[in-house]
Amino acid sequence: MRIDLHTHSTASDGTDTPAQLVRKAAATGLDVVALTDHDTTRGHAEAVAALPEGLTLVTGAELSCRLDGVSMHMLAYLFDPEEPALLAERELVRDDRVPRARAMVARLNELGVPVTWEQVARIAGDGSVGRPHVASALVELGVVPTVNDAFTADWLADGGRAHVDKHETDPFEALRLIKGAGGVAVFAHPAAAKRGRTVPETAIADLAAAGLDGIEVDHMDHDAETRARLRGTAKELGLLVTGSSDYHGSRKTCVLGEYTTDPEVYGEITRRAFGAFPVPGAGGA
Ligand code: AMP
Ligand code: FE
Ligand code: FE
Ligand code: ZN
């Protein structure tokens, strides 16, 4: 069984539509894929409709959180998408991305970059707009050669010249909301230091005590030493360990199924969740 529990589609900052993503997941030999767009479940219906036979979809989202000024991401799986409290918070965060992206465009204009909101909005389409879309606009304009090159102090990295904060949820509140919607919570890439500051290990213990189910250990942004350390932390705290590609289509270099999750851990996630069930593919359009 090959299980990839973290991917993005055009519903946020990925470049494959949800239908393309599930077809690629099946073609690459995955048995289970989770669709975890940033702060939205909008891609789920299309993914379900296109789900190939033999592939199971885990519905989810990656929630933008902030703890003591440090941005962090919380993967939420198999929650009830209609549960009002979590839905309201998700929409609040997603909607705040628009004025925030406009503010980043304004900053870039002040820095002499002729990017426009219309350009960013075109690139984002109906996906929840984020820095990768702004980064793609900078690539189009020839300001930087690749999306990754826009994530520096000069441009869009945390605290960078053109970076603007968005509303992000307190992770303890996020845990409460995810649990209240029957979901399972996994701290995404907790030690991805190249993205900016990360939370201290003591915070992982506090989150575990507050109901966190697991941490994403096998991820492209963790080196071997970091993975070994995080595995130890998970064991100590009784947390599940997941591995995932964090696939973003052509906006990032990782490929679907590059890292995977142990079937036993996947089984435990499905047993804990009661907000939604994994969707087995029936061979859609
Ligand atoms: P946002 O949620 O709009 O603040 O953008 C965060 C997203 O930007 C992440 O989900 C990644 O897709 C991407 N990202 C963050 N840091 C980096 C980085 N250092 N290099 C490339 N992409 C990054
Ligand atoms: Fe992303
Ligand atoms: Fe993330
Ligand atoms: Zn992600």
Side-chain angles (χ1 to χ4, degrees), residues 6-8 12-13 36-38 61-62 73 75 188-189 195 216 219 245-248 252:
H6 183 170
T7 71
H8 297 267
S12 65
D13 55 4
T36 53
D37 278 303
H38 296 288
E62 187 175 20
H73 292 170
L75 290 161
H189 45 76
R195 293 179 183 222
E216 188 180 55
H219 183 281
S245 66
D246 202 353
Y247 176 72
H248 279 70
K252 281 196 184 179

Side-chain angles (χ1 to χ4, degrees), residues 125-188:
D126 58 7
S128 51
V129 61
R131 281 182 284 170
H133 301 118
V134 180
S136 286
L138 295 181
V139 173
E140 278 187 4
L141 291 165
V143 174
V144 290
T146 71
V147 165
N148 275 354
D149 291 301
F151 284 87
T152 62
D154 274 348
W155 305 113
L156 301 172
D158 287 0
R161 292 188 302 168
H163 176 246
V164 176
D165 276 335
K166 62 182 180 298
H167 175 77
E168 295 176 318
T169 308
D170 174 274
F172 293 94
E173 172 70 359
L175 287 176
R176 208 180 57 73
L177 292 169
I178 294 164
K179 299 284 148 163
V184 170
V186 172
F187 187 172

